[in-house]
Amino acid sequence: MAPSTDLTLKPGTEWATTWQRCLVAAPEAFRGERVLNLWNGTWRPDGRPLPATTPVDGTPIAGPPRLDAATAHRAVRASLDQHRAWRTVPLADRRARVCATLDALTEHRDLLALLLVWEIGKPWRAARADVDRAIDGVRWYAGEIDRMTEGRSPLPGPVSNIASWNYPMSVLVHAMLVQALAGNAVIAKTPTDGGLACLTLASALAVREGLPVTLVSGSGGELSEALVRAPEIGCVSFVGGRDTGARVATAVADLGKRHILEQEGLNTWGLWNFTDWEGFGSRIRKTFEYGKQRCTAYPRFVVQRSAFADFLAVYLPAVRALTLGHPLAVASPDDDLPDPDLGPLINAAKAKELTDQVAEAMSRGAVPLHRGELAAGRFLPGQDTSAYVAPVALLGPPPASPLHHAEPFGPVDTIVLVDTEAELLAAMNVSNGALVATLSCDDRATYERLAPQIRAFKVGHGVPRSRGDREELFGGFGASWRGAFVGGELLVRAVTEGESAEERLPGNFPDYHLMP
């Protein structure tokens, strides 16, 4: 595909226009060129704003106003006061306020989605889906909350949320609203890498309806003492990488604190004694959604050596057909927004890191099966493309490479060839636990024999798995998860207490592992 040279930014989607819409929609939360922190029920101009740019094209955008540790402690103490008042509010009233918040989020759906495009580079369709999944998911909980909270009570203190940047609405805001619905005040730290304005707008709409929300910005190292270790905190909910997650896990284990820690794992797709290549080929393109910047992305394919030629025959055409470009670039002002398979990564530093990892892996023996080119993408004339990475597929990543055992969080696939079932299982379990996995094999009995040996919370038979919505449960095996599992009624159970002091929640805890 030849690169486009006559594209323009879709009128009305400019960052300056988007920011002005925020000032109109929630003037209490946005001031001038900065956002405010929210604690003790008040929007406050404290914290030192850091400069920030969008990964989309390098345009300057609002950066996080970082609080110091002392102010964060005051915010946590104020949240405990909110929590003690909120936990006595009747469930019917809590539900009415949460539903009013959902109505407000629906009204501002497109603005929230546009903020996700600018702040984290999410293509328009995926950004709207992120907002919709948050709204629809919480509405389901609002209809089911009576049975889920029967015989249960809110936690002794507020829930502290520290989440990654990639799903601000469908993961973080969704969790916050369900936690509040269950009777808890909620605290959230804005992700350092993006999502600040989107979360600020969503929080402003929630506070207007009387929900006990605290939203603060700051470095994890400086705020962790307050957001993780403070005695006022009733539960810590974390979504992010293993290094940071391990530090949080150590802290909450020492304190005996309720926790939900979702960490990364290398999700794998195995193909063994398999022949439905047409069906498999139709699913490859979707695995690159949002540039594989998802906790349930599949960046590793483990392929039976004798089937490698058949694998390549469907895999390579699908990867070569992927589209890349600016999520808001159009050929004509009247055109709909584009739907590229890939936008930018979260920032230029991540793009460079991943590009360097690919180069290092190749220098150590990995074989490049496909290397896309940015020149084929759809970009504005002269725009900054430093956060973009074209798709790459490598055969045989060397054991010394991070691409061998860790999630790349970008559009890089690695393929490993195996000859025996033992090799298949070892390659699929290389990261000591994962959130999801898939095994494609023709024989159902073979799948049922091998799937329990794959260390992933969800294993699909020939189809990809995801976090799921509504009643579907979610967790992880091994080092990919610590603490209580979530999804469906388990999310509510994780942030409430039962009548028995001896209750054992399903989850992966230091002293036990209990499946639902």
Side-chain angles (χ1 to χ4, degrees):
M1 180 179 66
S4 300
T5 58
D6 56 351
L7 299 178
T8 185
L9 198 62
K10 175 76 172 179
T13 67
E14 306 86 356
W15 171 254
T17 302
T18 304
W19 181 255
Q20 287 300 315
R21 291 175 63 186
C22 291
L23 294 176
V24 172
E28 69 272 29
F30 300 88
R31 181 173 301 174
E33 298 299 320
R34 62 167 293 175
V35 301
L36 307 183
N37 284 297
L38 167 65
W39 58 276
N40 198 24
T42 303
W43 292 97
R44 301 168 183 268
D46 48 13
R48 179 173 60 88
L50 294 183
T53 58
T54 171
V56 171
D57 58 13
T59 297
I61 61 175
R66 297 177 62 157
L67 290 183
D68 56 37
T71 306
H73 275 288
R74 291 197 295 273
V76 169
R77 286 193 291 271
S79 182
L80 178 60
D81 292 337
Q82 288 182 306
H83 179 83
R84 288 169 172 165
W86 179 253
R87 71 196 311 271
T88 66
V89 174
L91 176 56
D93 291 345
R94 297 200 305 263
R95 175 167 41 214
R97 296 185 189 187
V98 168
C99 288
T101 300
L102 297 175
D103 291 342
L105 293 174
T106 301
E107 180 184 350
H108 294 281
R109 171 205 187 205
D110 283 355
L111 176 54
L112 291 163
L114 192 54
L115 289 169
L116 292 180
V117 176
W118 279 112
E119 294 192 288
I120 63 175
K122 187 164 286 194
W124 176 244
R125 180 183 57 81
R128 296 180 85 186
D130 192 17
V131 177
D132 290 344
R133 284 184 63 188
I135 295 170
D136 295 342
V138 178
R139 284 199 192 280
W140 179 82
Y141 276 95
E144 302 288 331
I145 194 65
D146 291 271
R147 66 174 178 84
M148 292 182 177
T149 55
E150 185 175 356
R152 306 190 66 80
S153 58
L155 296 174
V159 181
S160 177
N161 295 271
I162 304 170
S164 59
W165 44 265
N166 52 339
Y167 283 89
M169 292 296 298
S170 63
V171 173
L172 181 51
V173 170
H174 178 280
M176 292 166 62
L177 294 181
V178 175
Q179 292 159 9
L181 184 63
N184 303 287
V186 297
I187 305 169
K189 186 182 92 65
T190 59
T192 302
D193 288 327
L196 169 69
C198 178
L199 287 169
T200 298
L201 176 57
S203 297
L205 299 175
V207 170
R208 287 180 184 176
E209 304 302 335
L211 298 190
V213 174
T214 295
L215 184 68
V216 295
S217 294
S219 71
E222 191 166 13
L223 301 192
S224 63
E225 192 68 26
L227 301 185
V228 176
R229 293 180 172 273
E232 295 92 342
I233 298 296
C235 175
V236 176
S237 177
F238 170 86
V239 180
R242 288 193 179 185
D243 291 342
T244 304
R247 292 191 291 271
V248 174
T250 299
V252 294
D254 291 345
L255 298 168
K257 197 182 293 291
R258 184 75 63 91
H259 57 285
I260 306 161
L261 309 181
E262 176 188 331
Q263 301 170 146
E264 63 190 359
L266 185 61
N267 305 316
T268 59
W269 193 315
L271 299 107
W272 184 260
N273 291 342
F274 176 70
T275 59
D276 182 18
W277 295 107
E278 182 179 355
F280 170 71
S282 67
R283 296 185 173 98
I284 294 170
R285 192 166 187 167
K286 188 170 177 56
T287 69
F288 280 86
E289 186 177 89
Y290 192 32
K292 301 213 174 204
Q293 296 178 106
R294 298 179 293 125
C295 64
T296 54
Y298 285 83
R300 166 66 51 81
F301 293 92
V302 182
V303 184
Q304 190 172 14
R305 190 182 306 272
S306 59
F308 185 46
D310 294 324
F311 170 85
L312 288 181
V314 296
Y315 176 83
L316 289 178
V319 175
R320 289 167 180 157
L322 293 170
T323 57
L324 169 73
H326 192 302
L328 302 173
V330 293
S332 170
D334 295 331
D335 288 351
D336 292 334
L337 287 171
D339 187 23
D341 295 299
L342 309 173
L345 298 190
I346 186 58
N347 53 47
K350 174 60 183 179
K352 183 180 185 306
E353 174 190 279
L354 192 56
T355 300
D356 290 347
Q357 288 178 353
V358 168
E360 180 190 27
M362 290 172 55
S363 73
R364 294 175 179 268
V367 178
L369 300 176
H370 173 77
R371 298 184 72 184
E373 298 181 354
L374 290 186
R378 298 179 75 258
F379 299 110
L380 300 178
Q383 82 159 76
D384 183 340
T385 60
S386 59
Y388 291 78
V389 173
V392 175
L394 299 178
L395 175 65
S401 168
L403 297 177
H404 177 76
H405 54 79
E407 185 179 16
F409 235 61
V412 175
D413 276 349
T414 54
I415 295 95
V416 174
L417 303 183
V418 295
D419 296 297
T420 68
E421 288 184 358
E423 290 178 308
L424 172 80
L425 293 171
M428 294 189 71
N429 291 329
V430 70
S431 69
N432 183 28
L435 304 175
V436 297
T438 292
L439 178 60
S440 292
C441 54
D442 293 343
D443 181 47
R444 180 76 193 186
T446 300
Y447 168 81
E448 291 178 350
R449 177 170 53 83
L450 295 176
Q453 301 177 67
I454 299 171
R455 290 178 57 77
F457 187 81
K458 297 181 181 181
V459 181
H461 185 194
V463 295
R465 300 301 303 271
S466 67
R467 289 183 68 93
D469 290 304
R470 303 178 182 182
E471 70 273 8
E472 191 171 350
L473 309 182
F474 191 57
F477 273 12
S480 68
W481 196 280
R482 313 275 185 177
F485 295 146
V486 296
E489 65 177 311
L490 292 190
L491 175 53
V492 174
R493 289 178 65 184
V495 296
T496 56
E497 293 185 323
E499 296 174 347
S500 171
E502 306 302 318
E503 179 183 35
R504 286 161 61 92
L505 295 174
N508 186 24
F509 293 91
D511 55 343
Y512 74 89
H513 179 93
L514 179 63
M515 289 297 291

